Amino acid sequence: MAEKEPEMTERKLVLFNTMTKQKEEFKPIVEGKVGMYVCGVTPYDFSHIGHARAYVAFDVLHRFLRHLGYEVTYVRNFTDIDDKIIKRANEAGEDPLKLSGRFSQEFLVDMETLQCLSPTHEPRVTDHMDQIKDMISKIMANGHAYTIEGDVYFSVDSFPEYCRLSGRKLDDNMAGGGGRVAVDTRKKNPADFALWKSAKPGEPKWDSPWGPGRPGWHIECSAMSEKYLGQKFDIHGGGKDLVFPHHENELAQSKAANPESCINCWMHNGFVNKDNQKMSKSDNNFFTIRDIINNYHPLALRFFLMRTHYRADVNYSVQALDNASDRVFYIYQTLQDCEVALSPFREGTYKVQVPDDVKEMIKKFHASFMESMSDDLHTTAVLDDLMEPLKTVNGTLKKFKGKKQQQALIVALLALEKEVKEVLGILGLLPTSSFAEVLKQLKDSALERAGITEEDLAKKIEERTLARKNKQYEESDRIRKELTAVGIALMDEPGGTVWRPCEPSDE
Protein backbone atom coordinates (compact mmCIF):
# COMPACT_ATOMS: atom_id res chain seq x y z
CA MET A 1 0.00 0.00 0.00
CA ALA A 2 1.40 3.36 -1.02
CA GLU A 3 2.03 5.69 1.89
CA LYS A 4 -0.30 8.66 1.97
CA GLU A 5 -0.14 11.95 3.78
CA PRO A 6 -1.47 11.40 7.31
CA GLU A 7 -5.04 12.50 7.91
CA MET A 8 -5.17 15.50 10.20
CA THR A 9 -8.42 15.43 12.11
CA GLU A 10 -9.88 16.88 15.26
CA ARG A 11 -11.75 13.65 15.90
CA LYS A 12 -10.05 11.35 18.41
CA LEU A 13 -9.69 7.64 17.77
CA VAL A 14 -11.75 5.70 20.30
CA LEU A 15 -11.29 1.93 20.85
CA PHE A 16 -13.08 -0.55 23.11
CA ASN A 17 -10.75 -1.80 25.85
CA THR A 18 -11.61 -5.28 27.13
CA MET A 19 -9.77 -4.51 30.37
CA THR A 20 -11.95 -1.52 31.31
CA LYS A 21 -15.06 -2.80 29.44
CA GLN A 22 -15.56 0.57 27.77
CA LYS A 23 -14.53 2.69 24.80
CA GLU A 24 -11.54 4.92 25.48
CA GLU A 25 -9.61 7.55 23.57
CA PHE A 26 -6.52 5.95 22.08
CA LYS A 27 -3.33 7.58 23.37
CA PRO A 28 -0.08 5.93 22.25
CA ILE A 29 2.73 5.46 24.75
CA VAL A 30 5.16 7.15 22.32
CA GLU A 31 3.69 9.98 20.28
CA GLY A 32 3.31 9.08 16.61
CA LYS A 33 4.13 5.39 17.14
CA VAL A 34 1.99 2.32 17.86
CA GLY A 35 3.10 -1.10 19.08
CA MET A 36 0.48 -3.80 18.37
CA TYR A 37 0.62 -7.54 19.08
CA VAL A 38 -2.05 -9.88 17.69
CA CYS A 39 -2.08 -13.57 18.59
CA GLY A 40 -1.51 -15.66 15.49
CA VAL A 41 -2.48 -19.16 14.44
CA THR A 42 -1.48 -22.61 15.64
CA PRO A 43 -0.71 -23.96 12.17
CA TYR A 44 -1.79 -27.60 12.01
CA ASP A 45 -4.37 -27.27 9.22
CA PHE A 46 -5.67 -24.76 6.68
CA SER A 47 -7.02 -21.64 8.38
CA HIS A 48 -10.79 -21.20 8.71
CA ILE A 49 -12.88 -18.06 8.29
CA GLY A 50 -12.85 -17.47 12.05
CA HIS A 51 -9.13 -16.80 11.59
CA ALA A 52 -9.91 -14.58 8.59
CA ARG A 53 -12.30 -12.61 10.81
CA ALA A 54 -9.60 -11.80 13.35
CA TYR A 55 -6.85 -10.91 10.92
CA VAL A 56 -9.07 -8.84 8.62
CA ALA A 57 -10.33 -6.91 11.69
CA PHE A 58 -6.82 -6.12 12.90
CA ASP A 59 -5.63 -5.42 9.35
CA VAL A 60 -8.32 -2.71 9.18
CA LEU A 61 -7.01 -1.27 12.46
CA HIS A 62 -3.41 -1.47 11.14
CA ARG A 63 -4.38 0.33 7.93
CA PHE A 64 -6.40 3.02 9.70
CA LEU A 65 -3.63 3.74 12.20
CA ARG A 66 -1.24 4.19 9.28
CA HIS A 67 -3.75 6.46 7.56
CA LEU A 68 -3.81 8.59 10.71
CA GLY A 69 -0.06 8.97 10.37
CA TYR A 70 1.16 6.53 13.02
CA GLU A 71 4.28 4.46 12.54
CA VAL A 72 2.95 0.99 13.42
CA THR A 73 5.05 -1.92 14.63
CA TYR A 74 2.67 -4.84 14.13
CA VAL A 75 3.62 -8.26 15.52
CA ARG A 76 1.64 -11.44 14.74
CA ASN A 77 3.09 -14.76 15.85
CA PHE A 78 2.98 -18.41 14.86
CA THR A 79 2.54 -20.99 17.65
CA ASP A 80 4.48 -23.54 15.61
CA ILE A 81 4.84 -26.21 18.34
CA ASP A 82 1.82 -27.34 20.33
CA ASP A 83 -0.15 -30.42 21.45
CA LYS A 84 -2.49 -30.12 18.46
CA ILE A 85 0.40 -29.90 16.00
CA ILE A 86 2.09 -32.96 17.52
CA LYS A 87 -1.17 -34.95 17.45
CA ARG A 88 -1.85 -34.07 13.80
CA ALA A 89 1.77 -34.80 12.81
CA ASN A 90 1.66 -38.20 14.53
CA GLU A 91 -1.58 -39.04 12.70
CA ALA A 92 0.00 -38.05 9.38
CA GLY A 93 3.40 -39.63 10.09
CA GLU A 94 5.06 -36.25 9.57
CA ASP A 95 7.64 -34.28 11.53
CA PRO A 96 5.70 -31.73 13.70
CA LEU A 97 7.93 -28.79 12.78
CA LYS A 98 7.67 -29.59 9.06
CA LEU A 99 3.89 -29.78 9.35
CA SER A 100 3.61 -26.47 11.21
CA GLY A 101 6.08 -24.85 8.81
CA ARG A 102 4.00 -25.97 5.82
CA PHE A 103 0.72 -24.67 7.25
CA SER A 104 2.38 -21.42 8.34
CA GLN A 105 3.21 -20.79 4.69
CA GLU A 106 -0.34 -21.69 3.62
CA PHE A 107 -1.67 -19.19 6.19
CA LEU A 108 0.52 -16.44 4.70
CA VAL A 109 -0.87 -17.25 1.24
CA ASP A 110 -4.43 -16.88 2.63
CA MET A 111 -3.57 -13.54 4.26
CA GLU A 112 -2.13 -12.18 1.03
CA THR A 113 -5.22 -13.37 -0.85
CA LEU A 114 -7.43 -11.45 1.61
CA GLN A 115 -5.22 -8.36 1.14
CA CYS A 116 -4.03 -8.26 4.74
CA LEU A 117 -0.83 -6.22 4.96
CA SER A 118 2.20 -8.13 6.22
CA PRO A 119 2.99 -7.47 9.90
CA THR A 120 6.32 -5.87 10.81
CA HIS A 121 7.40 -9.09 12.58
CA GLU A 122 6.02 -12.65 12.36
CA PRO A 123 7.92 -14.53 15.09
CA ARG A 124 7.70 -18.29 15.53
CA VAL A 125 7.85 -19.95 18.93
CA THR A 126 10.59 -22.35 17.93
CA ASP A 127 12.91 -19.42 17.14
CA HIS A 128 12.42 -17.85 20.59
CA MET A 129 13.20 -20.58 23.11
CA ASP A 130 15.90 -18.50 24.82
CA GLN A 131 13.52 -15.59 25.45
CA ILE A 132 10.84 -17.99 26.72
CA LYS A 133 13.22 -19.75 29.15
CA ASP A 134 14.56 -16.39 30.39
CA MET A 135 11.04 -15.19 31.17
CA ILE A 136 10.15 -18.42 32.99
CA SER A 137 13.34 -18.03 35.08
CA LYS A 138 12.31 -14.49 36.05
CA ILE A 139 8.81 -15.64 37.01
CA MET A 140 10.30 -18.36 39.21
CA ALA A 141 12.84 -15.98 40.76
CA ASN A 142 9.96 -13.63 41.65
CA GLY A 143 8.13 -16.44 43.46
CA HIS A 144 5.26 -16.95 40.99
CA ALA A 145 6.04 -20.45 39.68
CA TYR A 146 7.16 -23.90 40.87
CA THR A 147 8.54 -27.10 39.35
CA ILE A 148 7.25 -30.66 39.56
CA GLU A 149 9.29 -33.41 37.91
CA GLY A 150 10.48 -31.26 35.01
CA ASP A 151 7.19 -29.36 34.55
CA VAL A 152 6.94 -25.68 35.55
CA TYR A 153 3.60 -24.23 36.65
CA PHE A 154 2.47 -20.66 37.24
CA SER A 155 0.98 -20.25 40.71
CA VAL A 156 -2.23 -18.24 40.36
CA ASP A 157 -2.53 -17.94 44.16
CA SER A 158 0.70 -15.91 44.13
CA PHE A 159 -0.82 -13.33 41.78
CA PRO A 160 -3.78 -11.44 43.34
CA GLU A 161 -4.60 -9.63 40.06
CA TYR A 162 -5.37 -12.93 38.28
CA CYS A 163 -8.71 -12.75 36.38
CA ARG A 164 -8.66 -8.97 36.22
CA LEU A 165 -8.91 -8.99 32.42
CA SER A 166 -11.68 -11.58 32.07
CA GLY A 167 -13.57 -10.65 35.23
CA ARG A 168 -14.02 -14.34 36.07
CA LYS A 169 -13.98 -15.81 39.55
CA LEU A 170 -11.05 -18.08 40.28
CA ASP A 171 -13.42 -20.81 41.49
CA ASP A 172 -14.93 -20.98 37.97
CA ASN A 173 -11.66 -21.71 36.24
CA MET A 174 -11.09 -24.95 34.45
CA ALA A 175 -7.68 -26.55 34.74
CA GLY A 176 -5.43 -25.67 31.84
CA GLY A 177 -8.15 -23.92 29.85
CA GLY A 178 -8.68 -23.93 26.13
CA GLY A 179 -8.43 -27.72 25.94
CA ARG A 180 -4.64 -27.48 25.62
CA VAL A 181 -3.65 -29.51 28.68
CA ALA A 182 -5.03 -32.34 30.81
CA VAL A 183 -5.88 -32.03 34.49
CA ASP A 184 -2.79 -32.56 36.67
CA THR A 185 -3.47 -33.54 40.28
CA ARG A 186 0.11 -32.65 41.25
CA LYS A 187 -0.61 -28.93 40.92
CA LYS A 188 -1.02 -26.74 44.00
CA ASN A 189 -4.17 -25.21 42.53
CA PRO A 190 -6.19 -26.77 39.67
CA ALA A 191 -6.12 -23.35 37.93
CA ASP A 192 -2.29 -23.26 37.81
CA PHE A 193 -1.12 -23.42 34.19
CA ALA A 194 1.99 -24.79 32.51
CA LEU A 195 4.93 -22.57 31.67
CA TRP A 196 7.16 -25.51 30.66
CA LYS A 197 6.16 -29.08 29.83
CA SER A 198 8.61 -31.93 30.37
CA ALA A 199 9.40 -33.98 27.27
CA LYS A 200 7.28 -36.99 26.35
CA PRO A 201 8.74 -39.82 24.26
CA GLY A 202 8.88 -39.02 20.54
CA GLU A 203 7.99 -35.33 20.94
CA PRO A 204 10.18 -32.36 19.91
CA LYS A 205 12.10 -31.06 22.92
CA TRP A 206 14.53 -28.33 23.95
CA ASP A 207 16.99 -28.26 26.85
CA SER A 208 16.14 -26.09 29.85
CA PRO A 209 17.17 -25.56 33.50
CA TRP A 210 14.18 -27.78 34.47
CA GLY A 211 14.98 -30.58 32.05
CA PRO A 212 14.20 -31.20 28.37
CA GLY A 213 10.73 -30.15 27.19
CA ARG A 214 8.83 -27.37 25.44
CA PRO A 215 6.92 -24.23 26.42
CA GLY A 216 3.34 -24.03 27.61
CA TRP A 217 0.90 -22.25 25.30
CA HIS A 218 0.66 -18.86 27.04
CA ILE A 219 4.28 -18.04 27.89
CA GLU A 220 5.21 -17.87 24.21
CA CYS A 221 3.25 -14.68 23.50
CA SER A 222 4.47 -12.99 26.68
CA ALA A 223 8.08 -13.60 25.66
CA MET A 224 7.69 -12.67 22.00
CA SER A 225 5.64 -9.52 22.60
CA GLU A 226 8.28 -8.30 25.06
CA LYS A 227 11.10 -9.03 22.61
CA TYR A 228 9.58 -7.06 19.75
CA LEU A 229 7.54 -4.38 21.55
CA GLY A 230 9.11 -4.07 24.99
CA GLN A 231 7.46 -4.38 28.41
CA LYS A 232 4.99 -1.59 27.64
CA PHE A 233 3.05 -1.37 24.39
CA ASP A 234 -0.20 0.00 23.04
CA ILE A 235 -2.53 -2.71 21.73
CA HIS A 236 -2.88 -6.46 22.26
CA GLY A 237 -5.49 -8.17 20.09
CA GLY A 238 -7.10 -11.49 19.27
CA GLY A 239 -10.40 -13.33 19.15
CA LYS A 240 -12.68 -13.01 22.18
CA ASP A 241 -12.13 -16.71 22.93
CA LEU A 242 -8.58 -15.73 23.92
CA VAL A 243 -9.64 -13.39 26.76
CA PHE A 244 -9.58 -16.44 29.03
CA PRO A 245 -7.38 -18.31 29.50
CA HIS A 246 -4.77 -17.16 27.00
CA HIS A 247 -4.69 -13.41 27.49
CA GLU A 248 -5.45 -13.64 31.19
CA ASN A 249 -2.44 -15.92 31.59
CA GLU A 250 -0.26 -13.75 29.36
CA LEU A 251 -1.07 -10.73 31.48
CA ALA A 252 -0.23 -12.62 34.69
CA GLN A 253 3.04 -14.01 33.32
CA SER A 254 4.26 -10.70 31.92
CA LYS A 255 3.50 -8.86 35.18
CA ALA A 256 4.99 -11.66 37.28
CA ALA A 257 8.23 -11.48 35.29
CA ASN A 258 8.32 -7.69 35.08
CA PRO A 259 5.96 -5.79 37.44
CA GLU A 260 6.20 -2.66 35.26
CA SER A 261 4.81 -4.58 32.24
CA CYS A 262 1.78 -2.76 30.80
CA ILE A 263 -0.53 -3.05 27.79
CA ASN A 264 -2.71 0.02 27.27
CA CYS A 265 -5.57 -1.50 25.31
CA TRP A 266 -6.79 -5.08 24.97
CA MET A 267 -8.96 -5.62 21.87
CA HIS A 268 -11.00 -8.69 20.91
CA ASN A 269 -13.03 -9.56 17.84
CA GLY A 270 -16.23 -11.60 17.73
CA PHE A 271 -16.67 -15.12 16.37
CA VAL A 272 -17.98 -16.41 13.06
CA ASN A 273 -21.03 -18.50 13.92
CA LYS A 274 -22.74 -21.23 11.96
CA ASP A 275 -26.15 -22.37 13.20
CA ASN A 276 -25.67 -20.14 16.30
CA GLN A 277 -22.54 -22.03 17.30
CA LYS A 278 -18.97 -20.70 17.16
CA MET A 279 -17.19 -21.98 14.09
CA SER A 280 -14.06 -23.85 15.16
CA LYS A 281 -11.74 -26.66 14.12
CA SER A 282 -12.22 -28.54 17.37
CA ASP A 283 -16.01 -28.75 16.78
CA ASN A 284 -15.50 -29.64 13.11
CA ASN A 285 -18.17 -27.16 12.03
CA PHE A 286 -15.95 -24.80 10.08
CA PHE A 287 -15.19 -23.69 6.54
CA THR A 288 -11.62 -22.98 5.61
CA ILE A 289 -10.72 -19.75 3.86
CA ARG A 290 -9.91 -21.91 0.82
CA ASP A 291 -13.40 -23.48 0.92
CA ILE A 292 -15.00 -20.05 0.66
CA ILE A 293 -12.72 -18.55 -1.99
CA ASN A 294 -13.26 -21.59 -4.19
CA ASN A 295 -16.78 -20.20 -4.64
CA TYR A 296 -16.43 -16.48 -3.90
CA HIS A 297 -13.87 -13.83 -4.72
CA PRO A 298 -11.53 -13.18 -1.72
CA LEU A 299 -12.59 -9.52 -1.62
CA ALA A 300 -16.23 -10.63 -1.34
CA LEU A 301 -15.19 -12.64 1.75
CA ARG A 302 -13.31 -9.63 3.14
CA PHE A 303 -16.36 -7.41 2.51
CA PHE A 304 -18.63 -9.99 4.19
CA LEU A 305 -16.42 -10.06 7.30
CA MET A 306 -16.33 -6.25 7.49
CA ARG A 307 -20.11 -5.91 7.14
CA THR A 308 -20.43 -6.77 10.86
CA HIS A 309 -18.72 -4.64 13.51
CA TYR A 310 -15.52 -6.39 14.60
CA ARG A 311 -16.68 -6.94 18.21
CA ALA A 312 -19.97 -8.58 17.23
CA ASP A 313 -20.35 -12.17 16.06
CA VAL A 314 -20.73 -12.72 12.31
CA ASN A 315 -23.48 -15.10 11.25
CA TYR A 316 -22.25 -17.16 8.34
CA SER A 317 -24.73 -17.80 5.54
CA VAL A 318 -24.60 -18.33 1.79
CA GLN A 319 -27.13 -15.51 1.41
CA ALA A 320 -24.83 -13.05 3.25
CA LEU A 321 -21.88 -14.07 1.05
CA ASP A 322 -24.04 -13.70 -2.07
CA ASN A 323 -25.00 -10.21 -0.90
CA ALA A 324 -21.35 -9.29 -0.24
CA SER A 325 -20.34 -10.59 -3.68
CA ASP A 326 -23.12 -8.56 -5.30
CA ARG A 327 -22.02 -5.40 -3.48
CA VAL A 328 -18.35 -5.69 -4.44
CA PHE A 329 -19.35 -6.34 -8.05
CA TYR A 330 -21.40 -3.12 -7.99
CA ILE A 331 -18.46 -1.18 -6.49
CA TYR A 332 -15.90 -2.42 -9.03
CA GLN A 333 -18.28 -2.18 -12.02
CA THR A 334 -18.99 1.45 -11.13
CA LEU A 335 -15.28 2.23 -10.84
CA GLN A 336 -14.53 0.34 -14.07
CA ASP A 337 -17.22 2.33 -15.92
CA CYS A 338 -15.77 5.51 -14.46
CA GLU A 339 -12.23 4.56 -15.55
CA VAL A 340 -13.36 3.83 -19.12
CA ALA A 341 -15.31 7.10 -19.34
CA LEU A 342 -12.42 9.18 -17.97
CA SER A 343 -9.54 7.51 -19.83
CA PRO A 344 -9.42 10.10 -22.70
CA PHE A 345 -9.53 13.01 -20.24
CA ARG A 346 -7.05 12.17 -17.46
CA GLU A 347 -4.16 14.19 -18.86
CA GLY A 348 -6.25 17.33 -19.38
CA THR A 349 -6.21 20.48 -17.27
CA TYR A 350 -9.57 21.89 -16.32
CA LYS A 351 -10.34 25.41 -15.23
CA VAL A 352 -13.75 24.58 -13.79
CA GLN A 353 -14.26 23.68 -10.13
CA VAL A 354 -15.92 20.51 -8.83
CA PRO A 355 -19.65 21.35 -8.71
CA ASP A 356 -20.75 22.53 -5.25
CA ASP A 357 -23.26 19.71 -4.71
CA VAL A 358 -20.63 17.04 -5.49
CA LYS A 359 -17.99 18.84 -3.39
CA GLU A 360 -20.41 18.97 -0.45
CA MET A 361 -21.36 15.30 -0.86
CA ILE A 362 -17.68 14.22 -0.87
CA LYS A 363 -16.95 16.38 2.18
CA LYS A 364 -19.92 14.91 4.04
CA PHE A 365 -18.98 11.34 3.06
CA HIS A 366 -15.37 11.78 4.15
CA ALA A 367 -16.38 13.33 7.48
CA SER A 368 -18.78 10.44 8.05
CA PHE A 369 -16.05 7.93 7.14
CA MET A 370 -13.63 9.45 9.65
CA GLU A 371 -16.33 9.62 12.33
CA SER A 372 -17.34 5.97 11.86
CA MET A 373 -13.78 4.64 11.76
CA SER A 374 -12.69 6.76 14.73
CA ASP A 375 -15.60 5.31 16.72
CA ASP A 376 -14.10 1.87 17.35
CA LEU A 377 -13.74 1.00 13.64
CA HIS A 378 -17.40 1.07 12.63
CA THR A 379 -16.87 -0.53 9.21
CA THR A 380 -20.55 -1.48 8.88
CA ALA A 381 -21.56 2.19 8.67
CA VAL A 382 -18.68 2.98 6.27
CA LEU A 383 -19.70 0.24 3.82
CA ASP A 384 -23.31 1.47 3.89
CA ASP A 385 -22.23 5.10 3.37
CA LEU A 386 -19.99 4.07 0.46
CA MET A 387 -23.07 3.49 -1.69
CA GLU A 388 -23.87 7.24 -1.81
CA PRO A 389 -20.79 8.44 -3.78
CA LEU A 390 -21.05 5.35 -6.01
CA LYS A 391 -24.67 6.22 -6.86
CA THR A 392 -23.51 9.76 -7.64
CA VAL A 393 -20.80 8.36 -9.95
CA ASN A 394 -23.39 6.29 -11.81
CA GLY A 395 -25.79 9.25 -12.02
CA THR A 396 -23.01 11.46 -13.38
CA LEU A 397 -21.94 8.82 -15.91
CA LYS A 398 -25.48 8.76 -17.32
CA LYS A 399 -25.22 12.50 -18.08
CA PHE A 400 -21.69 12.22 -19.47
CA LYS A 401 -21.44 11.92 -23.25
CA GLY A 402 -17.65 11.65 -23.32
CA LYS A 403 -17.03 15.16 -24.59
CA LYS A 404 -14.42 17.59 -23.32
CA GLN A 405 -17.02 20.36 -23.22
CA GLN A 406 -18.55 18.61 -20.18
CA GLN A 407 -15.68 19.72 -17.95
CA ALA A 408 -17.81 20.02 -14.81
CA LEU A 409 -18.80 16.37 -15.13
CA ILE A 410 -15.18 15.31 -15.76
CA VAL A 411 -13.85 17.04 -12.63
CA ALA A 412 -16.81 15.72 -10.62
CA LEU A 413 -16.05 12.14 -11.68
CA LEU A 414 -12.32 12.57 -11.01
CA ALA A 415 -13.02 13.88 -7.48
CA LEU A 416 -15.57 11.13 -6.70
CA GLU A 417 -13.29 8.40 -8.03
CA LYS A 418 -10.34 9.68 -5.97
CA GLU A 419 -12.38 9.71 -2.74
CA VAL A 420 -13.90 6.26 -3.24
CA LYS A 421 -10.53 4.69 -4.12
CA GLU A 422 -8.87 6.28 -1.08
CA VAL A 423 -11.49 4.87 1.29
CA LEU A 424 -11.35 1.44 -0.37
CA GLY A 425 -7.57 1.52 0.03
CA ILE A 426 -7.80 2.26 3.75
CA LEU A 427 -10.31 -0.60 4.14
CA GLY A 428 -8.13 -3.02 2.16
CA LEU A 429 -10.84 -3.35 -0.51
CA LEU A 430 -8.98 -1.73 -3.40
CA PRO A 431 -7.91 -4.57 -5.73
CA THR A 432 -4.25 -5.01 -6.58
CA SER A 433 -5.23 -6.03 -10.13
CA SER A 434 -7.40 -4.06 -12.59
CA PHE A 435 -11.12 -3.65 -12.02
CA ALA A 436 -11.74 -5.45 -15.32
CA GLU A 437 -9.77 -8.47 -14.07
CA VAL A 438 -11.61 -8.58 -10.73
CA LEU A 439 -14.99 -8.26 -12.46
CA LYS A 440 -14.10 -11.23 -14.67
CA GLN A 441 -13.09 -13.24 -11.58
CA LEU A 442 -16.37 -12.33 -9.87
CA LYS A 443 -18.30 -13.41 -12.97
CA ASP A 444 -16.34 -16.68 -13.20
CA SER A 445 -17.16 -17.40 -9.53
CA ALA A 446 -20.84 -16.66 -10.17
CA LEU A 447 -20.91 -19.12 -13.09
CA GLU A 448 -19.22 -21.72 -10.88
CA ARG A 449 -21.84 -21.26 -8.13
CA ALA A 450 -24.63 -21.39 -10.70
CA GLY A 451 -23.23 -24.64 -12.14
CA ILE A 452 -23.28 -23.26 -15.68
CA THR A 453 -20.53 -22.67 -18.23
CA GLU A 454 -20.07 -19.47 -20.21
CA GLU A 455 -20.96 -21.39 -23.39
CA ASP A 456 -24.20 -22.71 -21.86
CA LEU A 457 -25.09 -19.22 -20.69
CA ALA A 458 -24.48 -17.81 -24.17
CA LYS A 459 -26.88 -20.45 -25.56
CA LYS A 460 -29.52 -19.51 -22.95
CA ILE A 461 -29.19 -15.83 -23.88
CA GLU A 462 -29.49 -16.76 -27.57
CA GLU A 463 -32.62 -18.85 -26.86
CA ARG A 464 -34.16 -15.94 -24.95
CA THR A 465 -33.29 -13.45 -27.71
CA LEU A 466 -34.99 -15.74 -30.26
CA ALA A 467 -38.04 -16.15 -27.99
CA ARG A 468 -38.38 -12.37 -27.68
CA LYS A 469 -37.98 -11.94 -31.43
CA ASN A 470 -40.80 -14.45 -31.94
CA LYS A 471 -42.91 -12.67 -29.30
CA GLN A 472 -42.75 -15.77 -27.04
CA TYR A 473 -42.61 -13.60 -23.93
CA GLU A 474 -43.56 -16.33 -21.48
CA GLU A 475 -40.58 -18.41 -22.63
CA SER A 476 -38.35 -15.33 -22.53
CA ASP A 477 -39.42 -14.62 -18.92
CA ARG A 478 -38.96 -18.26 -17.95
CA ILE A 479 -35.33 -18.26 -19.11
CA ARG A 480 -34.62 -14.97 -17.34
CA LYS A 481 -36.18 -16.22 -14.07
CA GLU A 482 -34.38 -19.55 -14.34
CA LEU A 483 -31.04 -17.71 -14.53
CA THR A 484 -31.93 -15.20 -11.80
CA ALA A 485 -32.68 -18.13 -9.48
CA VAL A 486 -29.05 -19.27 -9.77
CA GLY A 487 -27.51 -15.78 -9.48
CA ILE A 488 -27.29 -14.64 -13.12
CA ALA A 489 -29.05 -11.37 -14.01
CA LEU A 490 -29.77 -10.54 -17.67
CA MET A 491 -29.94 -6.94 -18.85
CA ASP A 492 -31.19 -5.88 -22.26
CA GLU A 493 -29.12 -3.05 -23.70
CA PRO A 494 -29.09 -1.35 -27.12
CA GLY A 495 -26.12 -3.48 -28.19
CA GLY A 496 -27.75 -6.73 -27.03
CA THR A 497 -28.26 -8.73 -23.82
CA VAL A 498 -25.49 -8.70 -21.24
CA TRP A 499 -25.28 -10.44 -17.87
CA ARG A 500 -23.89 -9.79 -14.41
CA PRO A 501 -23.86 -11.76 -11.16
CA CYS A 502 -26.72 -11.12 -8.74
CA GLU A 503 -28.11 -12.54 -5.52
CA PRO A 504 -30.05 -15.72 -6.39
CA SER A 505 -33.78 -15.04 -6.37
CA ASP A 506 -36.98 -17.06 -6.81
CA GLU A 507 -38.95 -14.13 -8.23
Side-chain angles (χ1 to χ4, degrees):
M1 184 174 75
E3 294 293 341
K4 295 190 178 80
E5 284 297 310
E7 175 103 14
M8 298 303 169
T9 176
E10 292 302 311
R11 181 163 294 282
K12 305 295 185 188
L13 173 61
V14 170
L15 300 172
F16 186 88
N17 187 349
T18 306
M19 177 66 81
T20 60
K21 313 293 185 286
Q22 62 185 17
K23 288 196 265 191
E24 297 174 344
E25 181 186 335
F26 176 69
K27 294 178 180 175
I29 294 167
V30 178
E31 190 174 347
K33 297 188 176 185
V34 176
M36 178 167 79
Y37 187 95
V38 175
C39 288
V41 292
T42 301
Y44 64 94
D45 202 342
F46 290 106
S47 297
H48 58 69
I49 62 169
H51 295 128
R53 177 86 206 284
Y55 304 120
V56 166
F58 286 102
D59 181 62
V60 171
L61 175 59
H62 182 197
R63 287 169 176 272
F64 190 59
L65 288 167
R66 285 174 55 164
H67 175 69
L68 294 177
Y70 289 108
E71 182 188 321
V72 183
T73 303
Y74 176 18
V75 184
R76 186 184 66 207
N77 73 295
F78 286 104
T79 298
D80 63 342
I81 187 65
D82 175 89
D83 291 347
K84 293 178 181 179
I85 292 169
I86 292 167
K87 180 173 183 289
R88 180 62 60 88
N90 287 342
E91 289 167 356
E94 188 175 356
D95 176 76
L97 299 185
K98 281 187 179 172
L99 181 134
S100 63
R102 183 160 53 85
F103 282 117
S104 294
Q105 287 307 119
E106 298 292 1
F107 169 81
L108 293 175
V109 170
D110 288 340
M111 291 300 100
E112 187 176 355
T113 305
L114 289 171
Q115 295 198 174
C116 292
L117 298 176
S118 295
T120 319
H121 303 288
E122 295 182 280
R124 301 181 187 223
V125 170
T126 53
D127 294 330
H128 294 80
M129 289 298 171
D130 289 343
Q131 290 86 357
I132 290 166
K133 288 183 280 189
D134 286 349
M135 183 168 269
I136 295 172
S137 295
K138 283 183 188 174
I139 294 169
M140 292 190 73
N142 291 341
H144 294 288
Y146 57 93
T147 58
I148 306 174
E149 299 167 2
D151 292 318
V152 182
Y153 286 102
F154 186 93
S155 170
V156 297
D157 291 330
S158 75
F159 193 76
E161 289 182 54
Y162 192 67
C163 289
R164 185 177 156 218
L165 178 66
S166 62
R168 292 165 65 106
K169 293 178 180 173
L170 197 52
D171 294 346
D172 298 337
N173 294 342
M174 298 290 288
R180 301 266 175 158
V181 292
V183 174
D184 188 339
T185 54
R186 302 172 304 158
K187 294 192 288 186
K188 294 179 181 178
N189 183 321
D192 292 349
F193 55 90
L195 300 176
W196 188 261
K197 300 178 175 185
S198 58
K200 295 187 179 75
E203 290 187 354
K205 59 182 184 284
W206 288 262
D207 289 332
S208 83
W210 319 284
R214 57 189 170 87
W217 174 30
H218 317 292
I219 191 67
E220 305 159 350
C221 287
S222 287
M224 290 187 289
S225 64
E226 182 182 294
K227 174 175 168 58
Y228 292 97
L229 298 172
Q231 292 170 12
K232 298 181 180 182
F233 59 93
D234 299 292
I235 296 168
H236 195 318
K240 67 180 181 181
D241 54 328
L242 298 182
V243 176
F244 187 91
H246 187 49
H247 288 168
E248 191 73 75
N249 292 354
E250 264 193 76
L251 178 62
Q253 292 162 163
S254 296
K255 283 262 190 193
N258 302 292
E260 63 277 23
S261 171
C262 176
I263 294 162
N264 274 3
C265 183
W266 291 85
M267 295 178 67
H268 295 92
N269 62 276
F271 299 141
V272 178
N273 291 335
K274 181 175 179 281
D275 303 326
N276 297 316
Q277 184 182 357
K278 178 201 164 195
M279 202 178 281
S280 70
K281 287 180 184 173
S282 53
D283 292 325
N284 202 31
N285 70 335
F286 68 95
F287 294 104
T288 67
I289 295 168
R290 306 277 171 102
D291 291 335
I292 303 300
I293 63 178
N294 278 341
N295 291 311
Y296 294 90
H297 194 281
L299 290 175
L301 174 54
R302 185 177 175 105
F303 187 100
F304 160 74
L305 293 169
M306 291 167 61
R307 280 289 295 150
T308 303
H309 186 264
Y310 80 89
R311 281 193 289 119
D313 290 354
V314 173
N315 288 311
Y316 169 86
S317 72
V318 169
Q319 186 180 0
L321 274 164
D322 285 337
N323 177 263
S325 188
D326 193 51
R327 293 287 283 272
V328 295
F329 188 91
Y330 172 76
I331 292 168
Y332 302 143
Q333 185 66 67
T334 300
L335 289 169
Q336 167 70 2
D337 293 345
C338 189
E339 276 195 355
V340 170
L342 288 173
S343 60
F345 307 104
R346 289 199 186 273
E347 303 305 316
T349 53
Y350 305 100
K351 294 174 184 175
V352 298
Q353 296 291 312
V354 176
D356 287 344
D357 59 335
V358 174
K359 195 183 290 183
E360 187 57 35
M361 195 274 289
I362 290 173
K363 184 179 173 184
K364 184 180 171 187
F365 168 71
H366 191 79
S368 176
F369 165 74
M370 288 302 297
E371 183 176 351
S372 296
M373 290 297 286
S374 298
D375 181 16
D376 200 30
L377 309 176
H378 206 327
T379 53
T380 309
V382 172
L383 295 177
D384 285 342
D385 291 345
L386 191 59
M387 294 303 117
E388 192 61 34
L390 290 166
K391 283 178 189 169
T392 306
V393 169
N394 278 319
T396 308
L397 285 170
K398 282 176 185 170
K399 299 177 203 167
F400 187 52
K401 309 298 181 194
K403 295 177 181 174
K404 194 171 181 182
Q405 292 87 329
Q406 296 176 291
Q407 290 195 18
L409 296 182
I410 294 171
V411 295
L413 285 169
L414 285 167
L416 285 160
E417 178 191 58
K418 181 173 182 280
E419 179 63 28
V420 169
K421 282 184 173 180
E422 182 180 336
V423 166
L424 289 175
I426 297 163
L427 297 176
L429 287 169
L430 192 64
T432 53
S433 55
S434 69
F435 294 123
E437 195 175 329
V438 177
L439 289 167
K440 183 180 185 314
Q441 290 164 352
L442 284 158
K443 290 178 95 168
D444 289 345
S445 292
L447 290 171
E448 192 78 29
R449 294 194 299 275
I452 187 170
T453 66
E454 207 154 358
E455 292 76 16
D456 290 341
L457 177 57
K459 284 179 189 169
K460 291 274 185 191
I461 291 171
E462 204 176 305
E463 285 172 26
R464 181 174 172 273
T465 302
L466 189 62
R468 292 177 78 211
K469 190 177 177 182
N470 294 333
K471 296 186 168 47
Q472 297 171 327
Y473 298 119
E474 280 189 19
E475 176 62 6
S476 163
D477 284 348
R478 184 195 68 75
I479 293 169
R480 184 183 63 81
K481 286 179 182 176
E482 179 189 312
L483 291 171
T484 304
V486 293
I488 306 291
L490 300 184
M491 291 160 293
D492 299 312
E493 295 186 353
T497 301
V498 296
W499 74 275
R500 58 151 287 173
C502 67
E503 291 183 65
S505 165
D506 297 326
E507 62 158 312

